[in-house]
Amino acid sequence: MDRLLYLLETNPRLTNAELAVMLGVTEEQVEEQIKLYEDSGVIKGYRAIIDKDKVHAQSCTALIEIKVHPKFGNGFDEVAEKIASLEEVESIYLVSGGYDLCCIVENKSFEEVAMFVVKRLSPIQDVVSTSTNFILKKYKEQGVNFSETIVDDRGTYSL
């Protein structure tokens, strides 16, 4: 992967000036390359990774596995695009294994996720079955650790 893309993916808060120094190029070159990546769709967006437990968010994340009947000539694309168009769906992936698709729904209550599956997802033509898994605890997301190690600062004493 391009070094600029790697740096942006690792820390999107780096300024163009900082990136230029790290890459040994001018700030203008960095700005032009980033604009090119954004315009061509290589860079899809920038996001902060939030630890929802620290802000006491009353929401959950659900990983929903979906079994579908693929369409002749379109495979899984047509039904995946229908599901992707639903506002509740954060991400959707074609997967191997017992299910065909997997989607992620975030920042909803348990009840909202249940009603989404029952009223909006399951009725879609060609959706055969679903299995909803709720994320109970995040240990690591997008390379960022959520687990905090407890530091014992009492020291060692002997008599």
Side-chain angles (χ1 to χ4, degrees):
M1 181 185 344
D2 179 305
R3 179 123 170 92
L4 175 58
L5 290 175
Y6 171 78
L7 291 170
L8 287 171
E9 188 175 48
T10 305
N11 184 358
R13 294 188 65 186
L14 291 170
T15 66
N16 289 352
E18 291 169 325
L19 290 164
V21 169
M22 297 168 91
L23 297 169
V25 297
T26 68
E27 196 172 334
E28 291 75 25
Q29 288 174 303
V30 168
E31 187 175 334
E32 288 173 17
Q33 189 62 50
I34 290 173
K35 182 167 178 15
L36 180 67
Y37 284 146
E38 290 171 346
D39 291 346
S40 66
V42 171
I43 295 176
K44 298 290 189 186
Y46 304 89
R47 297 187 69 180
I49 300 169
I50 310 292
D51 188 339
K52 303 282 173 53
D53 290 339
K54 294 209 185 246
V55 293
H56 308 292
Q58 297 297 313
S59 64
C60 67
T61 299
L63 185 144
I64 305 167
E65 298 168 308
I66 309 159
K67 197 173 286 191
V68 302
H69 282 300
K71 290 279 192 184
F72 182 77
N74 290 331
F76 298 99
D77 294 345
E78 187 176 319
V79 70
E81 288 171 11
K82 281 182 191 174
I83 295 168
S85 71
L86 300 172
E87 65 188 48
E88 296 90 346
V89 175
E90 179 73 27
S91 305
I92 184 164
Y93 307 98
L94 179 64
V95 297
S96 63
Y99 289 86
D100 305 307
L101 301 170
C102 177
C103 76
I104 308 242
V105 174
E106 293 186 305
N107 302 320
K108 302 290 180 200
S109 69
F110 287 106
E111 294 81 14
E112 287 172 319
V113 171
M115 289 300 100
F116 164 72
V117 172
V118 169
K119 292 185 176 188
R120 297 188 29 96
L121 181 61
S122 294
I124 293 175
Q125 186 177 3
D126 299 318
V127 169
V128 175
S129 65
T130 64
S131 175
T132 303
N133 303 281
F134 289 99
I135 306 298
L136 302 177
K137 182 177 180 178
K138 289 183 184 178
Y139 293 97
K140 188 174 186 176
E141 181 177 56
Q142 296 183 30
V144 176
N145 284 320
F146 279 66
S147 298
E148 293 181 13
T149 54
I150 298 171
V151 178
D152 183 357
D153 60 353
R154 293 179 292 176
T156 304
Y157 296 98
S158 63
L159 298 173

